[in-house]
Amino acid sequence: MLPAGRHVRQVLIEDGVLSAAGKGTLFIECSTIDVATARAQHQAAEQAGMEMVDAPVSGGTAGAAAATLTFMMGGTDSAFARAQPICEKMGKAVIHAGGAGNGQAAKICNNMILGVTMIGVCEALVLAETLGLDHQKLYDISSKSSGSCWSLNTYCPVPGPVPASPANNDYKPGFAAEMMLKDLKLAQQAAQAGDTATPMGAAAAALYGLFVNGGGGSTDFSGIIRMIRGN
Amino acid sequence: MLPAGRHVRQVLIEDGVLSAAGKGTLFIECSTIDVATARAQHQAAEQAGMEMVDAPVSGGTAGAAAATLTFMMGGTDSAFARAQPICEKMGKAVIHAGGAGNGQAAKICNNMILGVTMIGVCEALVLAETLGLDHQKLYDISSKSSGSCWSLNTYCPVPGPVPASPANNDYKPGFAAEMMLKDLKLAQQAAQAGDTATPMGAAAAALYGLFVNGGGGSTDFSGIIRMIRGN
Amino acid sequence: MLPAGRHVRQVLIEDGVLSAAGKGTLFIECSTIDVATARAQHQAAEQAGMEMVDAPVSGGTAGAAAATLTFMMGGTDSAFARAQPICEKMGKAVIHAGGAGNGQAAKICNNMILGVTMIGVCEALVLAETLGLDHQKLYDISSKSSGSCWSLNTYCPVPGPVPASPANNDYKPGFAAEMMLKDLKLAQQAAQAGDTATPMGAAAAALYGLFVNGGGGSTDFSGIIRMIRGN
Amino acid sequence: MLPAGRHVRQVLIEDGVLSAAGKGTLFIECSTIDVATARAQHQAAEQAGMEMVDAPVSGGTAGAAAATLTFMMGGTDSAFARAQPICEKMGKAVIHAGGAGNGQAAKICNNMILGVTMIGVCEALVLAETLGLDHQKLYDISSKSSGSCWSLNTYCPVPGPVPASPANNDYKPGFAAEMMLKDLKLAQQAAQAGDTATPMGAAAAALYGLFVNGGGGSTDFSGIIRMIRGN
């Protein structure tokens, strides 16, 4: 797992891992990187007579330690069939999202939803404070109705309703804000390359950018509630 | 149920319903209106020796017909205790959200989350199209992971994954976009009155405003995916 | 000049200034308040046989001291004709914007442009820093081309290009961020009442809300560049 | 002038223009492209013993025909000194913005301001309609006060106040919306690469994306007022 597309390209192509590997080798590339680079690597692997899956994960270091990661895989049926039993040893779910690059596509689409809903939930909880509505009451109502979402139900960004959420641990990650920002920027990059307009995704990327540039990068991503609240 | 705070005030105060009612009357006010007006009515009722709950609902006309509405109630314990058994005849859930006006507060906080997540989900599905990722694949992955939310899981804004969702019925409501816009504007009004900044809620209100002004008011609120996609 | 519509209504109506004044009195109401309240006051004055102009100003305390304010007036031709020579003693420009409330309308439309462009200019200057482009160079180019605007040309939010701008005085106002926020909220209130969608105006209001809630309220409104930059 | 960085790289590097040219050749590269690619080309030219300026223009086809373009140049003092007299034959202004790539940097910073202010001006004019304030009145006031900007003063997006503006010619470009979107996306790309948060620039890019995807690409960029207004 490497930080960005350029590092993966460096290792695979320029540093020679691909050319040094034997024919038929299966590459399981678990970095979260941009879709275009992932697809270019698939092509390079295929031309070299090898197989590849792009297989970014969700679940964080805790999920890795507990072998409960989710793998989102892009690649041929054949490559997926080979990679699946290996990754199942580290994960609770290994999902075939389609052809080359679709693991990355699934991850950034999912995390764009996540970033948008997290800020929306933070805003609703802060508005509730303003209106004199208890966090727990809003939690009880929304987690069971149309406001239900993972960001609220299982990762609630205020202390109390979900004891295990980072809000109860002074917003120690968990999933750091700078990692969320990275994923939101990948989504924006893909949207712009594909002539897709994503106004809420763009707003979420900008708000996490303000939060990270203001010093919140290593805070859990739910800690953006402090910026929304003003403290 | 009346459209806005001014209508409720007109009927209760100016048209004389409150002054004509007997002491101890319980008012169950089910309109979705602004929090400030709701609280002023509670005060007027209390001064007249009566009880009131503000009790906006979610579930739409279908929920009303099937007696599966959710009531979010604000008012004293005593008023709630009287109103609860009555509303349970029309609803599957009757929740006490706190004191006067908190029913309205809960509803607008919840629906602000809903409006924000719906647009986020629409953007992710359109981005998936651009990237060659099937709607069903993204649904399968996100509905079970951190992108999970009511807007995706049970009201999916593209045809297919959730057969009962309005997307399968040419976006006939359901919950009309103009009603979502009304609730988002109430949330903005409350946020501004309370010096709360809600950037995503504001963006959602603006985007639903563009959609409604462009002719989409009577479309289901999930139909905003057409504006996001450009057709 | 009073802070908000409710104070003006209090003084004029409830405290009895209007009823105590003689027939034909001219009211020059210079507060910046919401359009709806301003129009209601015109109506009350007219019914009492008096004349009124709503006449909010721009130019700040410095403009008032130097008698260089700009008055934007709403009211009848007759009321404007009476008010104009009086206000010219305090202002360099007295402009008739149309009927009752149009002074307020002009001010909030103008200041919505101002708030939007100021943040846009701040972002461009911070992006220039990132790209290694001197502030002065961008100033020289944009102030003479299509990026030309008052926020850049005469109120530049970084030290240097415009020596008199608050950026050269540690962002002491000038025009405080909390006053800009007030005007942006009035614009949002008017937009929502009129079913108008103003996505950039809404974003500007939300960003100034974050800035003010984060402690920047008494800073000059150009100081929002610090939040954009992250320090 | 080529559409994007990849085309310029193709022609200069891969198609061999750079290797075929004689030592000391001066390249005047007038495409509007991303800053990173522009800087890579400067480096390639320098290594080949040649000089280069990146020199994007503003002024459109009309400016080219009338020789009134503005050139924003990045490069060494020496390269600028050679390029300046040549470009002055096609332009009214040739400005040295700094080292390699700074011509591109200046253009995207400037055009980000332009895109943001244009939408802000459109919103203010639509809000004025809602409030019963004449376009001409708002123009007269704001073009001379703190709302003054190029988008309003010289390119007013409603018919009337500025007879030569595209609004008076059914929004025929002028400067097409798809070109504005291209520049706003270049700005977003640079901002993301540089870890800069530009919330208003991001919102402008998203709104022009919605406008272009909705069919407005070949309309003048001031025509986005129709989307803001809802018709």
Side-chain angles (χ1 to χ4, degrees):
Chain A
M1 283 191 198
L2 295 169
R6 65 181 181 281
H7 307 110
V8 180
R9 188 170 46 234
Q10 174 75 32
V11 168
L12 272 185
I13 311 290
E14 290 155 43
D15 293 350
V17 167
L18 199 63
S19 61
K23 281 241 170 208
T25 298
L26 170 70
F27 287 92
I28 303 177
E29 218 294 274
C30 293
S31 309
T32 295
I33 62 170
D34 65 286
V35 177
T37 296
R39 288 182 174 160
Q41 286 156 4
H42 275 266
Q43 202 172 17
E46 192 184 359
Q47 284 168 353
M50 302 176 189
E51 288 192 307
M52 176 175 279
V53 289
D54 55 295
V57 304
S58 70
T61 51
T68 58
L69 293 171
T70 295
F71 289 81
M72 291 157 267
M73 284 195 183
T76 62
D77 288 346
S78 154
F80 175 72
R82 290 173 67 191
Q84 185 179 26
I86 299 167
C87 292
E88 277 173 347
K89 302 213 185 302
M90 290 180 65
K92 68 172 172 22
V94 179
I95 304 166
H96 192 193
N102 278 21
Q104 303 296 346
K107 173 141 189 204
I108 62 174
C109 287
N110 182 78
N111 281 18
M112 188 171 80
I113 299 176
L114 176 60
V116 166
T117 56
M118 178 53 86
I119 308 180
V121 165
C122 290
E123 293 179 6
L125 285 160
V126 172
L127 180 55
E129 296 167 10
T130 305
L131 294 171
L133 173 66
D134 281 355
H135 290 155
Q136 186 67 49
K137 284 288 180 196
L138 181 57
Y139 180 86
D140 292 344
I141 292 168
S142 287
S143 66
K144 284 177 198 127
S145 62
S146 56
S148 165
C149 58
W150 188 91
S151 296
L152 177 69
N153 296 21
T154 72
Y155 208 87
C156 187
V158 291
V162 177
S165 78
N168 298 281
N169 190 24
D170 201 28
Y171 299 101
K172 291 202 181 66
F175 184 49
E178 61 200 358
M179 300 305 288
M180 173 48 81
L181 177 58
K182 176 192 164 185
D183 292 355
L184 289 169
K185 284 163 99 172
L186 288 173
Q188 286 309 294
Q189 193 178 332
Q192 287 169 15
D195 294 329
T196 306
T198 56
M200 298 297 271
L207 289 164
Y208 273 105
L210 291 177
F211 184 60
V212 167
N213 290 348
S218 59
T219 305
D220 185 74
F221 85 116
S222 63
I224 200 170
I225 194 170
R226 288 175 169 167
M227 185 179 87
I228 297 299
R229 190 192 280 121
N231 60 47
Chain B
M1 284 191 196
L2 295 168
R6 65 180 180 280
H7 307 109
V8 179
R9 188 170 45 233
Q10 173 76 32
V11 167
L12 272 184
I13 312 293
E14 291 155 44
D15 293 350
V17 166
L18 199 63
S19 62
K23 280 241 169 205
T25 299
L26 169 70
F27 286 92
I28 304 177
E29 218 294 276
C30 292
S31 309
T32 295
I33 62 170
D34 64 286
V35 177
T37 297
R39 288 180 174 161
Q41 286 156 4
H42 274 267
Q43 202 171 17
E46 192 184 358
Q47 284 168 352
M50 303 177 189
E51 287 193 308
M52 176 176 280
V53 288
D54 54 295
V57 302
S58 71
T61 51
T68 59
L69 293 170
T70 295
F71 290 80
M72 290 158 268
M73 283 194 184
T76 62
D77 289 347
S78 154
F80 175 72
R82 290 173 68 192
Q84 185 178 26
I86 299 167
C87 292
E88 277 173 347
K89 302 214 184 303
M90 290 181 65
K92 68 172 169 32
V94 178
I95 304 166
H96 192 193
N102 277 21
Q104 303 297 346
K107 174 142 190 203
I108 63 174
C109 288
N110 182 78
N111 281 19
M112 188 172 80
I113 299 175
L114 175 59
V116 166
T117 56
M118 176 53 84
I119 308 180
V121 166
C122 290
E123 293 180 6
L125 286 160
V126 172
L127 180 55
E129 296 167 12
T130 304
L131 294 170
L133 173 66
D134 282 354
H135 290 155
Q136 185 68 49
K137 284 287 182 197
L138 181 57
Y139 180 86
D140 291 345
I141 292 167
S142 287
S143 65
K144 284 177 198 127
S145 61
S146 56
S148 166
C149 58
W150 188 90
S151 295
L152 178 69
N153 296 22
T154 72
Y155 209 87
C156 187
V158 291
V162 178
S165 79
N168 298 280
N169 190 24
D170 200 28
Y171 299 101
K172 290 202 181 64
F175 183 50
E178 62 200 357
M179 299 306 288
M180 173 49 81
L181 177 57
K182 177 193 162 183
D183 292 355
L184 289 169
K185 285 163 99 173
L186 288 173
Q188 286 308 294
Q189 192 178 332
Q192 288 170 13
D195 294 329
T196 306
T198 56
M200 299 297 271
L207 289 164
Y208 273 106
L210 290 177
F211 185 59
V212 167
N213 290 349
S218 59
T219 305
D220 185 74
F221 84 115
S222 63
I224 199 169
I225 196 170
R226 288 174 168 167
M227 185 179 87
I228 298 298
R229 190 193 279 120
N231 62 47
Chain C
M1 283 191 197
L2 295 169
R6 65 181 181 279
H7 307 110
V8 179
R9 188 171 45 234
Q10 174 75 33
V11 168
L12 273 184
I13 311 291
E14 290 156 44
D15 293 350
V17 167
L18 199 64
S19 62
K23 281 241 169 204
T25 299
L26 170 70
F27 287 92
I28 303 177
E29 217 293 275
C30 292
S31 310
T32 294
I33 62 170
D34 64 287
V35 177
T37 296
R39 287 181 174 160
Q41 285 156 4
H42 274 267
Q43 203 172 16
E46 193 184 358
Q47 284 168 352
M50 303 177 189
E51 288 193 307
M52 176 176 281
V53 288
D54 55 295
V57 303
S58 71
T61 50
T68 58
L69 294 170
T70 295
F71 290 80
M72 290 157 268
M73 282 194 184
T76 62
D77 288 348
S78 155
F80 175 72
R82 290 172 69 191
Q84 185 179 27
I86 299 167
C87 292
E88 276 173 346
K89 301 213 185 303
M90 290 180 65
K92 69 172 169 27
V94 179
I95 303 166
H96 192 194
N102 277 22
Q104 303 296 346
K107 175 144 189 201
I108 63 174
C109 288
N110 182 79
N111 281 19
M112 188 171 79
I113 299 176
L114 175 60
V116 167
T117 56
M118 177 53 84
I119 308 179
V121 166
C122 289
E123 293 180 6
L125 285 160
V126 172
L127 180 55
E129 296 167 10
T130 304
L131 294 170
L133 173 66
D134 282 355
H135 290 155
Q136 186 68 49
K137 284 288 180 195
L138 181 56
Y139 180 86
D140 291 344
I141 291 168
S142 287
S143 66
K144 284 177 196 127
S145 61
S146 56
S148 164
C149 57
W150 188 89
S151 295
L152 178 69
N153 296 23
T154 73
Y155 209 88
C156 187
V158 291
V162 177
S165 79
N168 298 280
N169 191 25
D170 201 27
Y171 299 101
K172 291 203 181 66
F175 183 48
E178 61 200 357
M179 299 305 288
M180 173 48 81
L181 177 57
K182 176 194 163 185
D183 292 355
L184 288 169
K185 285 163 99 173
L186 288 173
Q188 286 308 295
Q189 192 177 334
Q192 287 169 14
D195 294 328
T196 305
T198 57
M200 299 296 271
L207 289 164
Y208 273 106
L210 291 176
F211 184 59
V212 167
N213 290 348
S218 59
T219 306
D220 185 74
F221 84 115
S222 63
I224 199 169
I225 194 169
R226 288 175 169 167
M227 184 179 86
I228 298 297
R229 190 193 279 120
N231 62 45
Chain D
M1 284 191 198
L2 295 169
R6 66 181 181 280
H7 307 109
V8 179
R9 188 170 46 232
Q10 173 75 30
V11 168
L12 273 184
I13 312 292
E14 291 154 44
D15 292 351
V17 166
L18 200 63
S19 62
K23 280 237 171 215
T25 299
L26 169 70
F27 286 91
I28 304 176
E29 218 293 275
C30 293
S31 309
T32 295
I33 62 170
D34 64 285
V35 177
T37 297
R39 288 180 175 162
Q41 286 156 3
H42 275 265
Q43 202 171 16
E46 193 185 358
Q47 284 168 351
M50 303 176 189
E51 288 192 306
M52 178 176 278
V53 289
D54 55 295
V57 303
S58 70
T61 51
T68 58
L69 294 170
T70 296
F71 289 81
M72 290 157 267
M73 283 195 184
T76 62
D77 287 348
S78 156
F80 175 72
R82 289 172 69 193
Q84 184 179 27
I86 299 167
C87 292
E88 277 174 345
K89 302 214 184 301
M90 290 181 64
K92 67 173 171 28
V94 179
I95 304 165
H96 192 193
N102 277 21
Q104 303 297 346
K107 176 143 187 200
I108 63 173
C109 288
N110 182 77
N111 281 18
M112 188 172 79
I113 299 176
L114 176 59
V116 167
T117 56
M118 177 52 85
I119 308 180
V121 165
C122 289
E123 293 180 5
L125 286 160
V126 171
L127 180 54
E129 296 167 10
T130 303
L131 294 171
L133 173 66
D134 282 356
H135 289 155
Q136 186 67 49
K137 283 289 181 196
L138 180 57
Y139 180 87
D140 292 345
I141 291 168
S142 287
S143 66
K144 284 178 198 128
S145 61
S146 55
S148 165
C149 59
W150 189 90
S151 295
L152 177 69
N153 296 21
T154 73
Y155 209 87
C156 186
V158 291
V162 177
S165 78
N168 297 280
N169 191 25
D170 200 28
Y171 298 100
K172 292 204 181 65
F175 184 49
E178 63 200 357
M179 300 305 288
M180 173 48 81
L181 177 57
K182 176 193 162 184
D183 292 355
L184 289 169
K185 284 163 99 173
L186 288 173
Q188 286 308 294
Q189 193 179 332
Q192 288 169 13
D195 295 328
T196 306
T198 55
M200 299 297 271
L207 290 164
Y208 273 106
L210 291 177
F211 184 59
V212 167
N213 290 349
S218 60
T219 305
D220 185 74
F221 85 115
S222 63
I224 200 170
I225 195 170
R226 288 174 168 167
M227 185 180 86
I228 298 298
R229 190 193 280 121
N231 61 49

